[in-house]
Amino acid sequence: MKIHFVRHGQTHYNKDGLITGRADISLDPEGILQARKTADALTSDYSEIYSSDLIRCKQTADILNEKLGLPIKYDARLKERDFGSLEGRKWSDIDQTLREKDRDQEYDYRSYGGESVEDVKKRVLSCVTHIRRKRRGDAVLVVTSAGVIRLLHHIFHG
């Protein structure tokens, strides 16, 4: 079984350097174009699509699915990390002291009312395990956020 992960297209939060997390932000025109280009590059080897239930991921999955015509399963476990009160702020405005404080915390530290890395890891791996058990032998496309994809890369590739 193969699982291919696709990051959602660009949002105005991404373009403006804002911390997005769980903020339910739509794709901007560039993000729509990115999703269309990704759809053009896809093969039709997939049996279904899983997607985060955030609107930017749903929009991306819908655009990809214009070519694939598959069932889409929306799953909240694929959401980006909740960054709490930092969401909507510019990454560049976050004081270096706060970034260092956040980085030096324990692995299960829940920054600014958000989720810990361990929280995200548990819910995302729960979803991936579910997909693997259910779709053994198939190729599945998963639409999610960069943070989730980065986390999975670190888990599976050290």
Side-chain angles (χ1 to χ4, degrees), residues 47-96:
S47 59
E48 66 184 333
I49 300 172
Y50 281 80
S51 174
S52 161
D53 61 355
L54 292 172
I55 190 67
R56 60 191 179 267
C57 295
K58 285 181 170 182
Q59 289 175 309
T60 301
D62 287 343
I63 291 168
L64 300 178
N65 205 31
E66 289 172 8
K67 176 179 181 178
L68 301 173
L70 299 170
I72 301 175
K73 299 192 186 306
Y74 300 104
D75 196 314
R77 294 175 292 180
L78 292 169
K79 283 183 180 178
E80 178 64 275
R81 181 180 180 186
D82 181 350
F83 286 96
S85 62
L86 295 180
E87 290 184 13
R89 294 179 61 189
K90 282 190 171 249
W91 283 106
S92 61
D93 290 345
I94 303 300
D95 183 87
Q96 183 64 28

Side-chain angles (χ1 to χ4, degrees), residues 1-8 38 42 46 49-52 60 64 77-78 124-125 127-129 131-132 139-153 156-157:
M1 171 196 199
K2 292 182 181 180
I3 303 176
H4 295 173
F5 293 89
V6 173
R7 181 195 181 266
H8 62 78
T38 300
L42 290 176
Y46 302 102
I49 300 172
Y50 281 80
S51 174
S52 161
T60 301
L64 300 178
R77 294 175 292 180
L78 292 169
V124 170
L125 285 178
C127 185
V128 169
T129 300
I131 293 169
R132 291 176 76 184
V140 175
L141 187 65
V142 175
V143 181
T144 188
S145 301
V148 170
I149 295 170
R150 206 170 15 257
L151 174 66
L152 287 168
H153 178 78
F156 294 121
H157 300 289

Side-chain angles (χ1 to χ4, degrees), residues 111-125:
S111 62
Y112 311 98
E115 287 181 290
S116 72
V117 174
E118 187 63 24
D119 293 335
V120 180
K121 178 181 173 183
K122 284 178 184 175
R123 73 173 159 76
V124 170
L125 285 178

